[in-house]
Amino acid sequence: MHHGNRHGRSEEARRSVLEAADDLLVERGFAKLTIEGIAQRAGVAKQTVYRWWSSKTEILLEAFVEDAAEELTPPDTGDLERDYREHLRRLARFLTESDAGAVFRALTAEAQHDPALAARLRAVHLDRQRERDRLPLERAIERGGLSAGADLDALVDRLVGPIYYRALVTGQEVTDGYVAELVRTIRV
Amino acid sequence: MHHGNRHGRSEEARRSVLEAADDLLVERGFAKLTIEGIAQRAGVAKQTVYRWWSSKTEILLEAFVEDAAEELTPPDTGDLERDYREHLRRLARFLTESDAGAVFRALTAEAQHDPALAARLRAVHLDRQRERDRLPLERAIERGGLSAGADLDALVDRLVGPIYYRALVTGQEVTDGYVAELVRTIRV
Amino acid sequence: MHHGNRHGRSEEARRSVLEAADDLLVERGFAKLTIEGIAQRAGVAKQTVYRWWSSKTEILLEAFVEDAAEELTPPDTGDLERDYREHLRRLARFLTESDAGAVFRALTAEAQHDPALAARLRAVHLDRQRERDRLPLERAIERGGLSAGADLDALVDRLVGPIYYRALVTGQEVTDGYVAELVRTIRV
Amino acid sequence: MHHGNRHGRSEEARRSVLEAADDLLVERGFAKLTIEGIAQRAGVAKQTVYRWWSSKTEILLEAFVEDAAEELTPPDTGDLERDYREHLRRLARFLTESDAGAVFRALTAEAQHDPALAARLRAVHLDRQRERDRLPLERAIERGGLSAGADLDALVDRLVGPIYYRALVTGQEVTDGYVAELVRTIRV
DNA sequence: TCTTAAGCGAGACGGTACGTCGCGTCTTGGC
DNA sequence: GCCAAGACGCGACGTACCGTCTCGCTTAAGA
C-alpha cells in the first residue's frame, strides 16, 4: 500500500477523513467536531486534512454531497398530491432524523455567518434539490393537470418552506395531517 | 462609578457585556465572537461574564430579547391581506438586513446542535412571536371575514415558513410581488 | 494551593519548569529537548512556559544560574600553583562530567549562532566566573609572590583557555599531569 | 544537462547541495537551516539529499572539508615566533569572521551533544589541523632552536587554546598584542 | 462606626485545538 | 538507477480561548 505520490492524493486518506467527519458529527455534535479529532479518527496526519480542505465545514460539505444528495427525489406515481405528500414526509424525516440531515443542518447553520459557505452549499446541493422538488409540478403541467402559467418557484416555496421552517426554526413536529393539508393548497 | 457591592450585580457591567456582544457579533461574526473578546470590549473581568452567563449564546439570547423582540408586531389596518403584506415584508427585512436579525440567525444556527438553546429560544422569543404572527388572522375571524374553523397554526406556517426558508436556507430575495402572491393564498 | 494571581507568577510552576528542563536535557540531550516536553514533564501548561520564557535556552540559562554558578570558586591554600591545579582540575571535571556542565556546553553551543544568548551568558555567568578564575592571582599579588604589573586577563586565558579548548573542541582528556604543566607556566 | 542516470550519483546535485547549505547557514543561521530549505535552494529533490547525507550537519561537514580546510597552514619564515604570530592571527580571524569559520563553529556547537559528530569532526579536520598547528614547532626543533624533549601537544594547546577560548566562549577580541604576548610564552 | 462579605477588574493557571513547519519515508514517471 | 516532484504520518511549534482560581479593591448592610 502506498500513501500519496505526485499523481494525486491518496483516495484512501480522502475517504477516511470524510467518514471520520460524518461519524464524529453524529457522535459528538458540530461544536465538538475538531480537525484534530477528525485526523486522529481517520488515522491521517493533520497536515493531510489541511492540504485538501480549508475548514471542517468544507469536509462536511464534501461528505454530504458524496453520500446523501440523491436521497430526496420525489416519487412519480402520476398523482401530483400523492407525490408531494410522500416527498414532503421524506424531506421532514431527512431534516429531523437522518445523519445526513444532521450534516445538512450543521452546514445551513454555519452558512448563516459564512456567505461563501452559503454559496457553496447552494451550488453543490440546494440548486439541484430545488430542481428535484419541482419535478412533480412539471410532470403535472405536462399531463395538463396544472396551468402552465403557474409560478413554480413560488409554489415550491409554499410546499417546502413550511417544512424547513418547522424543522429548522420552531421544532414543531411535521405530521401526516400537516403535510396533507399543505399539499391540498396546491389547488389554487 | 462603583464596581461591585454586597447587594447584587452591577447593572452597568451587565449592559456593557450585552452591548459588546451585540457589536462584536455584527463586526466579526459569530465564529470570531469570544467571551474573552466580549469581556475586553466591555471593560469587564472575564469572571464577571462567567458569573452571570454560561456561554456566549446565553449572552446573545439576553441581548436579543432585550433590544429586539418587539419589532415584529403586525400592523392593524382592518385589512387582513394588507396587514400580512406589511408584516411579512418587515419579517424578511428583519431576518436578512437588521443587526437583531443577525443575532437571531446566529442563535437559530447554534440551536441546530444545541437542543437546550432551541428550547430557550422558543421560550423567550419564538412562542411569543408566533402569537404576534397570528394576530391579523384572529382579528379577521372576529370581524367575520374568516371562517372560525380554520387551522390557524398551519395557516401561519404557510405564510411565514416560505419567508424563513428563503432567508435562512436558499438566500433568494423576498420581493414585494413574492409576498403579495403568498398572502393571496390565504383565501382558501 | 493556588495557581497564579495578579501579584505575580507561581513560584511552584517556575521551579517545576526549571527542574524539568534540567532533567530532560541530561536524559535526552539538547536536540530532543522541547518546550512541549518540558511543560508536560513539569505538569504545567505550555502557555505558562511561553509566558515567562522565550525559548528553551532561556529556561536552561535560568536553571543554570539558579543551581550551578557557584561551584567553581578556586580554593585558597596560600599556594598559587596548588590553588590553580585544584581549580583547573575541577573546571575540567565540571565541563566534561557534570550535569551543570552539560547545560553550560549546550548554552555555549547555542551562543555560537545567537549573539543575544552569548551576551546573556556572559552577563549572568562568564563575567563572574572570570573574576573567580583570577582570584588566586590577585591573592598572590597581595602576598607579593607575583609582580603587580602582570597582565592578569591574559594570564587567566593561558590557564583556562587550554582547558576549555580540550573540553569543548578536541575532546582530549585533561590529566593531572597536563594541568600541572599548565600551571607551571605561570612563572614567567 | 541531465538528471540521474543508471551509473552513479550526479556531481551537479552534490555541488548544488553543498553550496546551498553553505549559503543558507551564513544567511539564516544554523537554527533556521533545514534540509527542506537546502533541497529547495539547491533545486534538488529532498530524497536526493537523504540518499547521500544523513543530517544537515553531515552536509555542513562535507561542505566545510571541501572548501575550507586548507586555509590554516602556518607560514614558514624560519622564525618560530613570527610564524605563530601570523598563524594565530589568521586562526582568530578564521574563527570569528570567515564564513568557513561560521560553519566550523556550528559544527563544534552541535558536536557538544553529538559524540558521533565530534568524532567525525576530529577525523576529517581537527586531527589534520593539529598537525598543521605544530609545524613551526617541529621545524624549530629541526633547526635546533627548540629542545627536542618539549611536550609539543601541550605547547600547541597553550598557543591555540586561548584563541579558541576567546573566539568560542568569552567573545573577547584577539588583538595583535594579545597574540604577541601569547607567543612570547613559548620560550619557557 | 466599624466590620465584613459580595461583586468587581485583573490576570495567571492547566488545558485543548488551532494552523504551520519541518522531519524522514514513500511512490511515481522521466531520463 | 538516480533524479525532481510531492503526498504521506508524525511531532513540535507558538498562539488563542477555554473555564477556574486567587488577589486586593470598593462598597453598603448590619453588628
Side-chain angles (χ1 to χ4, degrees), chain D residues 20 131 159:
Chain D
E131 282 169 25
L159 290 168

Side-chain angles (χ1 to χ4, degrees), chain A residues 80-81 85 146 155 180 182-188, chain B residues 188:
Chain A
L80 176 63
E81 297 193 9
R85 275 197 300 272
L146 197 70
L155 204 42
L182 195 55
V183 168
R184 225 170 287 131
T185 65
I186 300 177
R187 298 183 236 117
V188 175
Chain B
V188 177

Side-chain angles (χ1 to χ4, degrees), chain B:
Chain B
M1 177 184 5
H2 79 283
H3 300 303
N5 58 60
R6 75 179 294 190
H7 305 291
R9 70 195 283 191
S10 158
E11 177 62 14
E12 193 192 346
R14 182 178 153 277
R15 288 297 321 155
S16 297
V17 168
L18 297 183
E19 277 167 28
D22 242 351
D23 293 354
L24 288 173
L25 179 78
V26 171
E27 275 178 36
R28 304 191 195 165
F30 184 81
K32 291 187 181 171
L33 183 66
T34 66
I35 291 192
E36 197 119 5
I38 293 170
Q40 190 164 355
R41 166 77 73 113
V44 141
K46 223 176 10 159
Q47 181 60 51
T48 299
V49 179
Y50 282 104
R51 197 168 3 245
W52 303 111
W53 295 276
S54 60
S55 65
K56 63 182 183 178
T57 52
E58 276 294 315
I59 303 174
L60 287 179
L61 194 57
E62 185 169 335
F64 177 65
V65 169
E66 190 111 326
D67 32 83
E70 303 307 318
E71 287 187 13
L72 289 169
T73 303
D76 181 3
T77 64
D79 176 342
L80 175 63
E81 297 193 9
R82 191 171 169 187
D83 286 358
Y84 273 118
R85 274 197 301 272
E86 177 61 17
H87 184 52
L88 296 185
R89 270 197 298 261
R90 280 195 213 154
L91 174 60
R93 241 179 294 128
F94 165 79
L95 288 173
T96 57
E97 292 169 27
S98 72
D99 287 357
V103 176
F104 175 80
R105 289 205 320 277
L107 289 168
T108 302
E110 285 308 291
Q112 298 308 316
H113 16 80
D114 181 348
L117 172 62
R120 302 259 297 119
L121 187 54
R122 262 166 238 144
V124 304
H125 172 68
L126 285 172
D127 291 348
R128 259 192 284 284
Q129 182 56 40
R130 220 176 153 67
E131 283 170 22
R132 289 191 286 269
D133 288 342
R134 60 193 293 167
L135 283 176
L137 287 173
E138 286 169 348
R139 290 192 295 249
I141 290 173
E142 274 179 25
R143 286 192 303 264
L146 197 68
S147 141
D151 180 343
L152 294 194
D153 248 19
L155 204 41
V156 167
D157 279 6
R158 292 207 299 272
L159 289 167
V160 302
I163 304 294
Y164 281 94
Y165 174 60
R166 291 208 151 185
L168 303 182
V169 181
T170 70
Q172 293 168 98
E173 207 190 345
V174 175
T175 62
D176 287 359
Y178 181 84
V179 167
E181 196 183 338
L182 195 55
V183 167
R184 225 170 288 132
T185 65
I186 302 178
R187 301 182 231 119
V188 177

Side-chain angles (χ1 to χ4, degrees), chain D residues 3-5 33-36 46-47 50 54:
Chain D
H3 300 305
N5 57 57
L33 183 67
T34 67
I35 290 193
E36 199 120 2
K46 223 176 12 159
Q47 181 60 53
Y50 281 105
S54 61

